[in-house]
Amino acid sequence: MGLLLKRALDQAAVWHQTQRRKYPGVDVPYVSHLAGVAVVLSRHGFDDEVIAAGALHDVIEDQGVTIAELAARFGERVATLVNLVTEQDKSASWEERKRRYLEAFPTKPWEAQAITLADKIDNFQSIVVCAMEHGDPWAMFKRGRDMQLERFETLSRMCQRLPAHPLIDEYSEALAALREV
């Protein structure tokens, strides 16, 4: 692991220190998710800047970190990638934000799409692990299972139009496991 990635994981842990995963009855720090995203990207051979952006992918959206601050700390490419995977209008309804995010997905560069897929893969794996070890994860989601799965299926169909890549295969496999929960 390069210094850029180590710095990104450490800073992500600081910025997200009060945030927790949606697990019933157990306190899982959010950094577990960020590390999971980084691991997925690393496993698929992405470079340190993409992996660092994966570790930092929620800091603008969830922690109010600015693009300028990200660029100053981690470089323009990392900041740009994080911005590309950030929901741009938090004032819109959840449904509208998710619709816009999915609409924009095909227009993004592959590295940003990869961060999105790695994010979802880790989320899917977290839901499966939660169901196995901690109880019903779907009760923790305001919109419930069906609406979430519909969104993930839409993303899966969009991925079928992309050039073949093992990351897309992993997304499909993780989604198949999620459907069983």
Side-chain angles (χ1 to χ4, degrees):
M1 168 172 39
L3 288 179
L4 174 67
L5 181 52
K6 178 61 179 154
R7 288 177 44 243
L9 284 167
D10 284 355
Q11 190 59 50
V14 170
W15 280 329
H16 290 278
Q17 66 186 311
T18 61
Q19 202 170 349
R20 298 294 182 257
R21 295 296 281 160
K22 292 179 180 178
Y23 282 29
V26 64
D27 183 25
V28 177
Y30 197 74
V31 72
S32 168
H33 170 59
L34 306 173
V37 172
V39 166
V40 170
L41 292 167
S42 179
R43 187 170 55 242
H44 288 283
F46 288 92
D47 66 52
D48 280 359
E49 289 179 319
V50 174
I51 299 167
L56 295 162
H57 76 276
D58 279 334
V59 298
I60 294 172
E61 193 172 306
D62 292 350
Q63 301 304 318
V65 175
T66 66
I67 298 167
E69 183 174 0
L70 278 176
R73 286 177 179 256
F74 301 105
E76 286 294 329
R77 183 169 177 235
V78 170
T80 297
L81 286 168
V82 172
N83 191 46
L84 282 167
V85 299
T86 297
E87 290 179 357
Q88 298 301 317
D89 183 6
K90 292 287 279 187
S91 67
S93 70
W94 182 89
E95 291 80 5
E96 182 64 18
R97 290 192 327 266
K98 301 307 178 189
R99 184 188 63 73
R100 289 178 189 167
Y101 191 90
L102 285 173
E103 282 179 357
F105 178 82
T107 67
K108 294 178 181 180
W110 167 240
E111 290 84 0
Q113 292 172 332
I115 293 168
T116 293
L117 295 176
D119 174 31
K120 301 306 177 225
I121 289 166
D122 185 74
N123 282 336
F124 298 171
Q125 292 171 341
S126 292
I127 291 169
V128 170
V129 166
C130 182
M132 290 169 47
E133 298 185 11
H134 306 293
D136 178 19
W138 294 113
M140 304 297 288
F141 293 87
K142 293 177 187 169
R143 303 307 190 285
R145 181 182 188 275
D146 293 342
M147 190 173 285
Q148 298 287 348
L149 282 175
E150 180 182 317
R151 194 167 51 92
F152 304 145
E153 296 288 352
T154 299
L155 184 57
S156 182
R157 288 188 296 277
M158 291 177 168
C159 287
Q160 293 170 5
R161 297 181 210 125
L162 298 175
H165 192 280
L167 180 63
I168 296 170
D169 298 337
E170 185 174 352
Y171 178 88
S172 297
E173 293 163 12
L175 180 56
L178 182 67
R179 286 186 202 107
E180 301 300 316
V181 174

